[in-house]
Amino acid sequence: MSIDKEIDTRGLNCPLPILKAKKALSDMDSGKLLRVVATDPGSMRDFQAFAKQTGNELVQQSTVGAEFIHVLRRR
């Protein structure tokens, strides 16, 4: 998987990881991949809801230690 852009939202709580992802996606071309690294456990469900609401595809979610990784494909 080739990530086109990555943002670090470690230490930020809802809704900041979503807002930063929304801004990053708005600057990207359709089909490009955005990786978001977060430490907020609520980000797992937040990004699922965000993808449904915006039409962006949630390609992958994973937990690595205390970090939550989200990969979104720009619609």
Side-chain angles (χ1 to χ4, degrees):
M1 187 171 358
S2 174
I3 303 299
D4 298 294
K5 188 173 193 174
E6 181 170 333
I7 58 172
D8 180 356
T9 65
R10 284 175 234 169
L12 301 177
N13 292 322
C14 181
L16 290 173
I18 294 287
L19 294 175
K20 289 190 173 289
K22 186 175 181 179
K23 181 176 185 329
L25 284 165
S26 71
D27 295 336
M28 295 171 68
D29 292 331
S30 182
K32 299 289 185 183
L33 292 176
L34 172 67
R35 177 180 159 139
V36 182
V37 181
T39 51
D40 179 7
S43 68
M44 294 299 274
R45 69 171 181 278
D46 292 344
F47 275 97
Q48 292 167 11
F50 173 75
K52 282 183 184 153
Q53 290 172 355
T54 62
N56 294 297
E57 179 188 356
L58 185 58
V59 177
Q60 182 181 6
Q61 283 188 306
S62 58
T63 305
V64 180
E67 296 180 345
F68 304 94
I69 314 297
H70 313 280
V71 179
L72 296 144
R73 184 182 316 277
R74 172 79 161 100
R75 62 174 160 78

